[in-house]
Amino acid sequence: MQNFRIFKQVPRLLFGEGSLSRINELLPIKNQKSDYYIYVIDDVLKNSTILSNIVIDEYDLIEWFPATKKEPSTIQVDELKNSILERKNNIMPLAIIGIGGGSTMDIAKAVSVMLCNEGSSRNYQGWDLVPNPGIYKIGVPTISGSGAEASRTAVLMGADRKFGINSDHSMFNAIIMDSTLIKSVPVDQRFYSGMDCYIHCVESLEGTMINELARGYADKALVLCDKVFLENGDDDMLMTASYMGGVSIVNSEVGICHALSYGLSIELDYRHGFANCVAFDVLDEYYGNHVVKFREMLKLHNIVIPKNVCKGMSEDSINRMIDMTLKMERPLTNALGKDWKNILTRNKIRELYLKM
Amino acid sequence: MQNFRIFKQVPRLLFGEGSLSRINELLPIKNQKSDYYIYVIDDVLKNSTILSNIVIDEYDLIEWFPATKKEPSTIQVDELKNSILERKNNIMPLAIIGIGGGSTMDIAKAVSVMLCNEGSSRNYQGWDLVPNPGIYKIGVPTISGSGAEASRTAVLMGADRKFGINSDHSMFNAIIMDSTLIKSVPVDQRFYSGMDCYIHCVESLEGTMINELARGYADKALVLCDKVFLENGDDDMLMTASYMGGVSIVNSEVGICHALSYGLSIELDYRHGFANCVAFDVLDEYYGNHVVKFREMLKLHNIVIPKNVCKGMSEDSINRMIDMTLKMERPLTNALGKDWKNILTRNKIRELYLKM
């Protein structure tokens, strides 16, 4: 008997076009004048009509998060926490709403947790290190694929590593899946983020840490990814795929691609979905036909993955990427078994990076 | 825009062979001497080893529920509630654990709700009529297919109708999916209950009240049913199918087969899964190829559905069945649209019953 973790799910979901306007059905009710919500919103939405769907009052806070600049960091989380507490005289919000892609939702999750736990967010990067429940939180994806809406993980860049806060307390209490919100995402962004989902499913299905329930989610999400990226599947399908792929990952584990992509993000400042695509493109040896199908998708959507991305990189940089990859013990155990260190040696990792 | 209900999910699941022995990871901790749990267990398990998986102390209550005798009723729920409060001097349990099939789990759900709400359970049959949250509850299926582990519904026989308590408060807080528990289910029971899942998926997919997320669950569950009942799918797959079919139904609706089967249960005391099979077998007109596939499954598992079951039935009985069917407005709207009353007339319903 393999002892699987308790399978966690977001208990309440609103699904469907226009459902963001029903957010009040999910929000805790304000009773006092000082009660407020915090909206953390991807700043690419600053000129969109997003706020017309929500009733915001003068006490609420809106944080426009610069998600496209770089991967979210522990420093940003700590600063945001302090700034909120300062502006609100240590009064806690009733709810935090994260509206954006994986990065923005991860920031919302991390701030929710950090408002109720001492010290810096970097102390909680790892598995199940968060003692206190966070603030009630709602996730609203405006780009699909990361699965952050479904996951326990808030991935943050630290000083020398990219690592998730993985805790039951970092899961959303509710999510809203409104496909009108992802309609204006640029084609390449939509693709890279969608491939995050595709790769989650592949890593989950090809790994050892999976059970039939998580397989159910990953299988279905993969079928939906095929429909969306190889046929004429619609945005509701893409949102469903992202969610189900996320559920599968919460309850299984990622694999080699994610382990390598973290190195790329650390050294080259690549965004997560893009880094995943760059890495996945050299993983025929591990994910065979799935990589072939990925290349069909690239072709169909006219996306070109850059090559020789590590050319001219210093030996120090490459070693830092290798170090980062080797820190991903759980994903690599999932992909290659307990003996992974003998299979994915430093030399092998270097070889893979140089192939990219 | 169709306004879908908030999609509800059980937040915590334990999955895998032997997972019942980890039930303590899900139970609220006892702090006082008077703290206790109630186990409601299907009495067919009385001579099984089920209790060897659980640590039960002297303050806990065990209720062996006669689930095979007949469909669970509002009278049984009310009696059980009163008997618990009497024996425990009105001290509430910390948790209720329902171990069994759909009927037993439904009783556990209903008692959980009724301990915290006034009056008789028959007052709460319907949609969203329960004001107060219930006692913390855990569902443990020992036969798969009903989806009761995933659903908001506790279906109960009342004086003149079979009807569900449908409330967010009647959902389990956690479920345990341990496939070792369904290994000893007799072949015919396994089949009838499994078909409950198959029929849920068909009704959900062929209905109008569905969105892409619920479709994701129903599609996957249907594929798993095919694997289990037409190929060599295993018990983990059957448990996953049952759960996913249940999730789909929570977030969409059943259809004509369930509406007709309720009449059979009322008049002929048929158990739910069996009644569904009897009804589904005459629904080619509505569920076409799914009925053809159902007959393949019957054949492969050597199950013979009785015919002429309404032969010799009094006119009164038939009228009561028709009345019961016509009460199922939501399922029939789901199946046939708003105009369903003009399509499924009394005569048409009579004709279908006489075909069974």
Side-chain angles (χ1 to χ4, degrees):
Chain A
M1 171 178 107
Q2 196 174 349
N3 258 8
F4 295 108
R5 282 195 300 239
I6 292 174
F7 197 106
K8 285 279 294 180
Q9 301 198 111
V10 174
R12 301 204 294 166
L13 291 74
L14 258 180
F15 187 95
E17 292 193 3
S19 49
L20 177 56
S21 63
R22 295 171 58 196
I23 191 168
N24 59 313
E25 296 177 34
L26 295 171
L27 281 167
I29 293 167
K30 292 175 181 174
N31 290 314
Q32 294 179 319
K33 219 179 157 186
S34 57
D35 284 344
Y36 71 103
Y37 310 135
I38 303 172
Y39 294 86
V40 181
I41 312 178
D42 185 336
D43 69 1
V44 297
L45 297 168
K46 224 168 186 171
N47 297 316
S48 77
T49 57
I50 193 93
L51 292 182
S52 66
N53 296 297
I54 316 169
V55 181
I56 292 176
D57 77 25
E58 56 182 315
Y59 298 99
D60 294 334
L61 294 182
I62 298 181
E63 285 295 329
W64 296 101
F65 182 72
T68 38
K69 287 231 181 77
K70 46 165 76 181
E71 295 283 281
S73 70
T74 52
I75 295 171
Q76 286 172 310
V77 170
D78 295 349
E79 281 176 359
L80 190 48
K81 167 187 174 173
N82 293 334
S83 132
I84 292 163
L85 291 176
E86 210 176 286
R87 278 179 287 170
K88 288 290 182 178
N89 289 320
N90 292 318
I91 294 173
M92 290 288 175
L94 279 190
I96 298 185
I97 302 100
I99 305 177
S103 302
T104 310
M105 286 190 280
D106 280 0
I107 285 281
K109 288 190 216 175
V111 170
S112 148
V113 160
M114 293 316 302
L115 282 170
C116 304
N117 288 277
E118 297 278 314
S120 164
S121 53
R122 66 175 178 273
N123 303 337
Y124 302 97
Q125 285 175 293
W127 278 270
D128 299 307
L129 302 175
V130 179
N132 305 321
I135 301 290
Y136 181 94
K137 49 193 164 294
I138 300 178
V140 185
T142 59
I143 175 169
S144 272
S146 71
E149 64 275 26
S151 85
R152 296 190 342 142
T153 310
V155 183
L156 301 172
M157 302 292 265
D160 62 341
R161 58 179 190 170
K162 181 182 174 185
F163 224 45
I165 298 176
N166 296 276
S167 159
D168 286 355
H169 303 316
S170 43
M171 283 192 79
F172 285 115
N173 300 89
I175 55 181
I176 298 175
M177 296 160 78
D178 177 349
S179 62
T180 58
L181 304 177
I182 67 171
K183 294 218 182 298
S184 54
V185 174
V187 174
D188 56 340
Q189 298 300 317
R190 175 187 161 95
F191 186 86
Y192 296 135
S193 188
M195 286 304 105
D196 195 11
C197 174
Y198 179 76
I199 293 167
H200 280 157
C201 295
V202 170
E203 291 181 313
S204 160
L205 289 168
E206 300 292 319
T208 54
M209 296 175 180
I210 193 165
N211 63 33
E212 199 54 45
L213 186 57
R215 184 175 290 121
Y217 283 92
D219 269 340
K220 183 66 201 175
L222 201 61
V223 167
L224 288 169
C225 283
D226 286 357
K227 283 199 179 155
V228 170
F229 291 102
L230 291 175
E231 299 167 36
N232 58 352
D234 65 16
D235 285 339
D236 276 352
M237 286 184 183
L238 180 54
M239 291 211 109
T240 303
S242 174
Y243 172 73
M244 287 188 145
V247 173
S248 177
I249 281 301
V250 186
N251 300 292
S252 57
E253 194 43 83
V254 290
I256 303 170
C257 184
H258 273 73
L260 291 168
S261 91
Y262 276 28
L264 296 173
S265 288
I266 284 269
E267 283 305 307
L268 296 167
D269 262 353
Y270 282 0
R271 303 309 319 283
H272 179 64
F274 179 69
N276 266 345
C277 287
V278 170
F280 198 64
D281 202 26
V282 305
L283 295 179
D284 301 75
E285 190 179 343
Y286 305 100
Y287 299 124
N289 284 334
H290 298 296
V291 182
V292 175
K293 199 183 263 182
F294 164 72
R295 293 200 190 106
E296 280 172 44
M297 292 173 176
L298 281 173
K299 213 170 158 185
L300 204 64
H301 294 268
N302 295 312
I303 306 281
V304 179
I305 297 292
K307 283 306 208 182
N308 299 312
V309 299
C310 300
K311 203 180 164 183
M313 210 181 245
S314 73
E315 193 56 20
D316 275 4
S317 284
I318 290 183
N319 275 320
R320 277 194 299 268
M321 293 204 299
I322 296 172
D323 290 341
M324 179 67 241
T325 303
L326 288 169
K327 278 182 190 147
M328 304 294 282
E329 299 203 6
R330 247 184 86 92
L332 295 174
T333 307
N334 177 47
L336 302 164
K338 280 185 182 155
D339 198 32
W340 67 268
K341 279 184 187 164
N342 294 325
I343 302 167
L344 207 71
T345 59
R346 292 190 77 86
N347 275 343
K348 182 70 199 175
I349 298 171
R350 174 187 305 269
E351 190 189 295
L352 288 167
Y353 274 125
L354 294 178
K355 242 189 179 173
M356 294 175 195
Chain B
M1 171 177 110
Q2 196 174 349
N3 258 8
F4 294 108
R5 283 194 300 237
I6 291 174
F7 197 107
K8 285 279 295 182
Q9 301 198 111
V10 174
R12 300 203 295 166
L13 291 73
L14 257 181
F15 187 95
E17 293 192 2
S19 49
L20 178 56
S21 63
R22 294 170 59 196
I23 191 169
N24 61 313
E25 295 176 35
L26 295 172
L27 281 167
I29 293 166
K30 292 177 181 172
N31 290 314
Q32 293 178 320
K33 221 179 159 184
S34 57
D35 284 344
Y36 70 104
Y37 310 135
I38 302 172
Y39 295 85
V40 181
I41 312 179
D42 185 335
D43 69 1
V44 296
L45 297 169
K46 223 168 186 172
N47 297 317
S48 77
T49 57
I50 193 94
L51 292 181
S52 65
N53 295 297
I54 315 169
V55 180
I56 291 176
D57 77 27
E58 54 184 315
Y59 299 100
D60 294 333
L61 294 182
I62 299 181
E63 285 295 329
W64 296 101
F65 181 72
T68 39
K69 287 227 181 80
K70 46 165 77 181
E71 296 283 281
S73 71
T74 52
I75 296 170
Q76 285 172 311
V77 170
D78 294 349
E79 281 175 359
L80 189 49
K81 167 186 173 171
N82 293 335
S83 132
I84 291 164
L85 291 177
E86 210 176 285
R87 277 179 288 170
K88 288 289 184 180
N89 288 320
N90 292 318
I91 294 172
M92 291 287 176
L94 280 190
I96 298 186
I97 303 99
I99 306 178
S103 303
T104 311
M105 287 191 280
D106 280 0
I107 285 282
K109 287 190 216 177
V111 170
S112 147
V113 160
M114 292 316 303
L115 282 170
C116 304
N117 288 276
E118 298 278 314
S120 164
S121 52
R122 66 175 179 274
N123 303 336
Y124 301 97
Q125 285 175 293
W127 278 271
D128 300 307
L129 302 176
V130 179
N132 305 320
I135 300 289
Y136 181 94
K137 48 194 162 298
I138 301 178
V140 185
T142 60
I143 175 168
S144 272
S146 72
E149 64 275 26
S151 85
R152 294 189 345 141
T153 309
V155 184
L156 300 172
M157 301 293 264
D160 62 341
R161 58 178 191 172
K162 180 181 174 186
F163 224 45
I165 297 176
N166 295 276
S167 158
D168 286 355
H169 303 316
S170 43
M171 283 194 78
F172 285 116
N173 300 90
I175 55 181
I176 299 176
M177 296 161 78
D178 176 348
S179 62
T180 57
L181 303 177
I182 68 170
K183 293 218 182 299
S184 53
V185 175
V187 173
D188 56 341
Q189 298 301 318
R190 175 187 162 95
F191 185 86
Y192 296 134
S193 188
M195 285 306 104
D196 195 11
C197 174
Y198 179 76
I199 294 167
H200 280 156
C201 296
V202 170
E203 291 181 312
S204 158
L205 289 168
E206 300 293 319
T208 54
M209 297 176 178
I210 193 164
N211 62 34
E212 200 54 45
L213 186 57
R215 185 176 289 121
Y217 283 91
D219 269 341
K220 182 66 202 176
L222 200 61
V223 168
L224 287 168
C225 283
D226 286 356
K227 283 199 180 157
V228 169
F229 291 102
L230 291 174
E231 300 168 34
N232 59 352
D234 65 16
D235 285 339
D236 276 352
M237 285 184 184
L238 180 54
M239 292 212 106
T240 303
S242 173
Y243 171 74
M244 288 189 145
V247 172
S248 177
I249 281 300
V250 186
N251 301 292
S252 55
E253 195 43 84
V254 289
I256 303 170
C257 183
H258 273 73
L260 291 168
S261 91
Y262 276 28
L264 295 174
S265 289
I266 284 268
E267 283 305 307
L268 296 168
D269 262 354
Y270 281 0
R271 304 308 321 285
H272 179 65
F274 179 68
N276 267 344
C277 287
V278 171
F280 198 65
D281 202 25
V282 305
L283 296 179
D284 300 76
E285 191 178 343
Y286 306 100
Y287 299 124
N289 283 334
H290 298 296
V291 182
V292 175
K293 200 184 261 181
F294 164 72
R295 295 202 189 105
E296 279 174 44
M297 292 173 176
L298 282 172
K299 211 169 159 186
L300 203 64
H301 294 268
N302 295 313
I303 305 282
V304 178
I305 298 292
K307 282 308 208 181
N308 299 314
V309 299
C310 300
K311 203 179 163 184
M313 208 180 247
S314 73
E315 193 56 20
D316 274 4
S317 284
I318 290 183
N319 275 320
R320 277 195 299 268
M321 294 204 299
I322 296 172
D323 290 342
M324 179 69 239
T325 302
L326 289 170
K327 278 182 190 147
M328 304 294 283
E329 300 203 5
R330 246 185 87 92
L332 294 174
T333 307
N334 177 46
L336 301 164
K338 279 184 184 157
D339 197 32
W340 66 268
K341 280 184 187 166
N342 293 324
I343 303 168
L344 208 71
T345 58
R346 291 190 78 87
N347 274 343
K348 182 70 198 175
I349 298 171
R350 174 187 306 267
E351 188 190 296
L352 287 168
Y353 275 125
L354 293 178
K355 240 188 180 174
M356 292 175 199

